[in-house]
Amino acid sequence: MVKLAANLSMMFQDLPFLDRFDAAEAAGFSGVEFMFPYDTDPADVAGRARKCGLEVVLFNLPAGDWAGGERGIAALPDRVEEFRAGVTKGLDYARALGCPRLHLMAGKAPASAECRSTLIANIVHAAELAAADGVEILIEPINTRVDIPGYFYGTTDDALSVIDEAARGNVRLQYDIYHMQIMEGDLARTIERLLPRIGHMQLADNPGRAEPGSGEINYPWLLSHIDALGYDGWIGCEYRPAADTKAGLGWAQPYLNSRRA
Ligand SMILES: O=C(O)[C@@H](O)C(=O)CO
Ligand SMILES: [Mg+2]
């Protein structure tokens, strides 16, 4: 069964953050993800998710000065203390929200031995703390052509190389279909080959990162393929709605709770 999670950082942007939970429930979602909940008291986030009957399925560990252009700090040798404080904060939120997975962002960093060894040590640190809470740490290759030039890993091979070197059972791949269409294509076969290693997926169409059906990816076919493969994780709807979020959800109707929508 295809389980879609509303991405509350990119959807329903006309609403305050907490009210986006109500909008996601009304639209028929059962799960939500977001980038950073840290501006909101975790008890308030947990209470709203509970009120709306929504699972919180993913969010990001703190990733540096996002407004200032940083996209993660785990690979930055001079930011280890800040990263590890962020892991503690992220896990505090994960416990409060009952969220079983956190995305760790490496950042824009040179492919140097020092940056790589810093990243591996930070992933191991995060994974070992997270394991105690039953939380998975996810590593997402992000396209370096459009969204984050200079990001530390842009392909599944690069991300899996880091995951393999960290060698912790609760570190898995976050497969963002949009990013991987840009960087390597061959979506159906890659997802089939890597399915056991994928802890979470996300979607958007390409080009433009808007709703499925707005670009080149055949989502009706691909989502049925993913379902047929037996993927039982979540797929985050991490796209920029072309207009009104709810009006743009026609593509998702087969996968949403009709009783709610
Ligand atoms: O794909 C993305 O952009 C997100 O999944 C993310 O967390 C990094 O921006
Ligand atoms: Mg993503």
Side-chain angles (χ1 to χ4, degrees):
M1 182 183 80
V2 171
K3 296 189 297 183
L4 297 180
N7 183 295
L8 302 186
S9 298
M10 296 179 86
M11 297 172 115
F12 307 109
Q13 288 197 352
D14 54 322
L15 298 173
F17 177 60
L18 289 177
D19 292 342
R20 300 180 191 182
F21 286 75
D22 300 82
E25 179 203 10
F29 287 97
S30 301
V32 293
E33 63 175 33
F34 32 79
M35 301 270 273
F36 308 108
Y38 307 109
D39 291 340
T40 308
D41 186 296
D44 293 339
V45 181
R48 190 62 71 95
R50 192 164 42 248
K51 166 186 171 262
C52 296
L54 293 167
E55 286 187 52
V56 176
V57 303
L58 173 89
F59 58 89
N60 291 1
L61 286 170
D65 178 8
W66 195 268
E70 292 188 325
R71 292 296 180 263
I73 56 174
L76 306 182
D78 60 343
R79 308 285 286 276
V80 172
E81 187 176 340
E82 178 186 349
F83 171 78
R84 297 191 176 191
V87 171
T88 300
K89 186 172 192 177
L91 287 170
D92 287 345
Y93 270 75
R95 277 189 294 272
L97 305 183
C99 182
R101 54 191 76 79
L102 293 169
H103 174 210
L104 180 156
M105 294 190 71
K108 295 180 273 191
S112 69
E114 186 184 19
C115 287
R116 187 178 176 92
S117 62
T118 298
L119 175 62
I120 299 301
N122 277 335
I123 292 173
V124 168
H125 172 84
E128 291 180 348
L129 289 180
D133 291 318
V135 171
E136 289 187 336
I137 297 297
L138 299 182
I139 301 294
E140 179 189 36
I142 294 175
N143 87 74
T144 55
R145 292 188 184 153
V146 177
D147 289 79
I148 309 184
Y151 195 68
F152 199 72
Y153 32 73
T155 67
T156 49
D157 284 350
D158 291 347
L160 289 168
S161 158
V162 164
I163 293 171
D164 290 343
E165 188 170 346
R168 292 298 183 279
N170 64 326
V171 182
R172 300 179 76 198
L173 184 68
Q174 181 168 316
Y175 188 88
D176 186 311
I177 296 166
Y178 160 76
H179 290 314
M180 293 301 96
Q181 172 68 2
I182 291 171
M183 295 301 286
E184 50 193 40
D186 204 16
L187 299 171
R189 275 189 289 253
T190 304
I191 290 169
E192 183 167 9
R193 175 169 56 87
L194 298 181
L195 198 66
R197 313 204 61 185
I198 294 175
H200 188 72
M201 289 194 209
Q202 293 171 316
L203 61 75
D205 217 328
N206 182 59
R209 203 171 190 178
E211 289 88 343
S214 63
E216 65 188 352
I217 302 173
N218 182 347
Y219 272 105
W221 185 90
L222 185 61
L223 291 175
S224 64
H225 174 71
I226 291 168
D227 193 27
L229 291 174
Y231 175 67
D232 61 0
W234 290 87
I235 304 178
C237 297
E238 193 179 41
Y239 62 81
R240 288 186 286 262
D244 175 72
T245 300
K246 188 158 170 48
L249 281 170
W251 70 272
Q253 290 317 305
Y255 317 107
L256 296 177
N257 300 316
S258 52
R259 58 179 163 67
R260 286 178 165 183

